[in-house]
Amino acid sequence: MCAPCIECHKILKVSRNHVLLSKDRMPSYYPSTKQSAIADTEYCKKHPKEVIQFYCLTHGDLGCGDCVVPDHRSCKVDYIADVAKEFIIENEFKELEPSIRQAEDLLSRYISNVKGLFGEVENQTKDEMDKLRKFRAEINTYLDRREKELLDNLHKVKNEDENLLNTLQKDCELTKAGLEAMRMELTSGAAAGIGNRPWNTGRGWRFGYS
């Protein structure tokens, strides 16, 4: 590390207690991915290869080490990892923690209610399906009964009509036979008595053949 950098490290509050290593004592390998001591952080917009690690209270800016040295030399600068650890025990976090717990409890109740609603939907669907199947079974039973009643009535009417028609047919046949017998009797009687039939000669009635 060069002399100006060493002086800057000694001036800044956040780095005055750092252990400074000479060039030959610096590690020869650095991980390709830089990570904060508290969590994943963003890379600096001005220095894309550097991770944001500092917060300037004076300007309210976030920055990396390369930003702090030239731009915030006379400012009050905090190391984010240290500030984050202190924030946990500060009043702001203590005031915020009950609200967080309350929100978590509320969300837990909502989740429980949603699970209950899933169960209600399932039960309601099952009940409606059972009602529908029962209603369909009742309709089928009613239709089967009505079909049997109608078929029985049709067979009854059919039998009654057939019996009536058979009776009518027999009456007609008997009447026809009687008429034929009467016609034959009349025909045979007329043929037997035709020689004795009277006829008028103009001078009186005579009997017998002419």
Side-chain angles (χ1 to χ4, degrees):
M1 183 177 291
C2 64
C5 289
I6 293 175
E7 291 299 324
C8 287
H9 272 71
K10 290 180 179 181
I11 293 173
L12 296 175
K13 177 182 176 181
V14 296
S15 60
R16 65 179 58 168
N17 295 323
H18 289 180
V19 178
L20 304 179
L21 301 178
S22 61
K23 184 177 180 180
D24 57 346
R25 294 180 62 188
M26 294 294 292
S28 59
Y29 172 78
Y30 293 91
S32 59
T33 303
K34 296 183 180 181
Q35 190 171 10
S36 171
I38 55 173
D40 294 336
T41 58
E42 297 181 358
Y43 284 90
C44 180
K45 294 181 179 180
K46 294 182 179 179
H47 309 93
K49 295 183 179 180
E50 298 295 328
V51 177
I52 295 175
Q53 300 183 41
F54 300 97
Y55 175 68
C56 176
L57 297 175
T58 304
H59 297 94
D61 291 338
L62 296 171
C64 65
D66 292 345
C67 294
V68 171
V69 174
D71 298 335
H72 304 278
R73 184 175 301 175
S74 59
C75 302
K76 180 175 174 56
V77 179
D78 286 333
Y79 184 49
I80 293 177
D82 295 337
V83 174
K85 293 176 182 178
E86 294 175 359
F87 176 75
I88 297 177
I89 59 175
E90 288 181 354
N91 292 332
E92 293 182 6
F93 179 77
K94 291 180 180 179
E95 294 176 357
L96 185 61
E97 186 179 12
S99 299
I100 294 175
R101 290 182 179 178
Q102 184 178 1
E104 290 176 346
D105 294 339
L106 184 61
L107 289 174
S108 297
R109 289 196 298 270
Y110 284 159
I111 293 172
S112 178
N113 292 337
V114 169
K115 290 181 179 179
L117 291 175
F118 272 115
E120 290 183 7
V121 169
E122 183 69 23
N123 293 332
Q124 289 178 358
T125 302
K126 184 177 180 300
D127 291 342
E128 293 301 323
M129 292 177 66
D130 292 341
K131 291 179 181 178
L132 180 60
R133 292 191 179 99
K134 181 180 178 181
F135 179 66
R136 180 176 179 179
E138 292 175 352
I139 291 178
N140 290 339
T141 302
Y142 172 77
L143 292 177
D144 291 340
R145 186 178 72 252
R146 288 295 298 158
E147 181 183 14
K148 184 177 182 304
E149 292 175 354
L150 292 174
L151 289 175
D152 292 343
N153 187 51
L154 288 174
H155 287 305
K156 180 181 178 181
V157 172
K158 177 177 177 290
N159 292 332
E160 291 177 353
D161 290 344
E162 288 179 346
N163 292 333
L164 181 62
L165 291 175
N166 288 330
T167 300
L168 181 61
Q169 183 178 0
K170 290 179 181 180
D171 291 343
C172 291
E173 290 176 350
L174 290 174
T175 302
K176 180 181 179 182
L179 290 174
E180 290 180 352
M182 183 183 297
R183 181 175 58 80
M184 291 180 64
E185 182 178 353
L186 291 174
T187 302
S188 61
I194 193 170
N196 297 323
R197 186 175 60 182
W199 53 286
N200 191 353
T201 60
R203 290 178 292 181
W205 291 95
R206 292 185 181 183
F207 295 87
Y209 297 97
S210 57

